[in-house]
Amino acid sequence: MTMKTLPVLFENSEILIINKPAGIAVQGGEKVFNPVDEILCQQIGQKVFPVHRLDKDTAGILVVAKTSVSAKNWTNIISSGRIKKQYSAICFGFLPQTQKNNSTGTFNFPIEKGQSKKDALTQYKIIDSKIIVTAEEEIHLSFFNLTLGTGRMHQIRIHLAQAGCPIIADDKYGNFELNRKFKKLFGIKKLQLAATNLEIPIDGKKILFNIPLPEHMENTYAKLFLNKQ
């Protein structure tokens, strides 16, 4: 079976920077089919090594190394905080302390890992907000840009849920009742989260990569915020 190809944003002798679609796991495992590392191996004709993670259901910019030596180097670069990762998310709810568009702030709720809690930091900016009126209720919506200050697992999903703004179609931390309602009303099935900007040091310079919203999020924004069906 021929696998789909993945869009490559940048390539040199050490790394590939790709635009990962939602629904594709980064690495293989039990009951995991056609992950990124296998697709790219076939696509470029050599083994690749992911150096950071995106959830299967999260779309967006991902860095993979082309050798094990490069993987170790780039894993250290990423863990040292020398890259800047920004995400876009469409959420239920709003932040009562700052309801205006372009408002900024920080989520710093600690995140539980096993028996301990880890410090976590996410900066946010509200890009747009909306109230949708259904037959039963008014539903607040917010469109966020988010920048990671730390890199805890599921950090953005957890922070937004803790702030009362769970990401639409998040089946782990989200509002399951509203997820079902919006799937029925608007056909929204995919997690509304994407890694849309990455600033990374290459050859001594900071290079910014950015992508537009993935199609499923663009469609959601058009339906919910622009009333385009």
Side-chain angles (χ1 to χ4, degrees):
M1 181 178 66
T2 301
M3 298 181 184
K4 68 187 296 182
T5 59
L6 299 173
V8 176
L9 306 176
F10 174 84
E11 180 178 4
N12 63 12
S13 61
E14 294 186 349
I15 60 171
L16 289 161
I17 299 178
I18 68 163
N19 183 0
K20 185 188 86 68
I24 298 178
V26 172
Q27 289 181 290
E30 187 177 357
K31 296 183 180 179
V32 175
F33 302 101
N34 296 341
V36 165
D37 56 355
E38 291 182 14
I39 295 173
L40 285 176
C41 180
Q42 185 179 87
Q43 185 171 326
I44 70 171
Q46 69 177 79
K47 187 175 181 180
V48 298
F49 305 81
V51 295
H52 67 113
R53 60 180 178 263
L54 283 180
D55 295 338
K56 176 181 177 181
D57 295 324
T58 302
I61 303 173
L62 180 75
V63 181
V64 298
K66 298 171 78 172
T67 68
S68 58
V69 173
S70 294
K72 183 177 181 180
N73 178 45
W74 280 94
T75 298
N76 289 336
I77 289 173
I78 290 170
S79 63
S80 71
R82 290 162 59 192
I83 74 168
K84 184 177 180 181
K85 292 187 278 189
Q86 293 183 314
Y87 292 72
S88 299
I90 303 175
C91 306
F92 298 119
F94 71 105
L95 301 178
Q97 72 272 25
T98 171
Q99 298 181 39
K100 295 181 180 179
N101 298 345
N102 298 316
S103 294
T104 60
T106 301
F107 301 132
N108 57 7
F109 317 115
I111 291 177
E112 292 185 8
K113 185 175 182 181
Q115 300 298 315
S116 63
K117 290 187 176 182
K118 300 287 187 179
D119 290 338
L121 189 70
T122 305
Q123 296 174 331
Y124 68 81
K125 181 178 182 179
I126 299 172
I127 303 301
D128 207 347
S129 57
K130 184 76 179 284
I131 297 176
I132 287 183
V133 181
T134 70
E136 299 87 15
E137 59 187 326
E138 290 186 349
I139 301 171
H140 292 263
L141 303 173
S142 297
F143 178 26
F144 286 88
N145 275 356
L146 305 118
T147 302
L148 287 178
T150 52
R152 310 302 180 196
M153 182 177 289
H154 296 163
Q155 177 175 314
I156 286 175
R157 295 167 69 177
I158 292 171
H159 270 172
L160 285 168
Q162 288 175 324
C165 296
I167 299 172
I168 295 175
D170 189 337
D171 62 4
K172 188 174 180 67
Y173 306 101
N175 184 318
F176 306 137
E177 181 180 350
L178 285 179
N179 284 343
R180 288 191 293 270
K181 180 175 288 188
F182 273 52
K183 182 178 180 180
K184 181 178 180 180
L185 290 175
F186 303 105
I188 299 171
K189 302 175 184 178
K190 294 183 179 180
L191 180 70
Q192 300 296 302
L193 175 67
T196 47
N197 289 271
L198 178 73
E199 186 178 89
I200 189 167
I202 297 176
D203 298 330
K205 299 178 181 179
K206 289 184 178 181
I207 308 296
L208 177 64
F209 296 91
N210 57 70
I211 58 170
L213 286 180
E215 184 178 9
H216 70 281
M217 289 183 65
E218 190 176 299
N219 290 341
T220 294
Y221 183 78
K223 288 178 182 178
L224 300 183
F225 289 81
L226 304 178
N227 300 319
K228 294 181 180 180
Q229 300 301 317

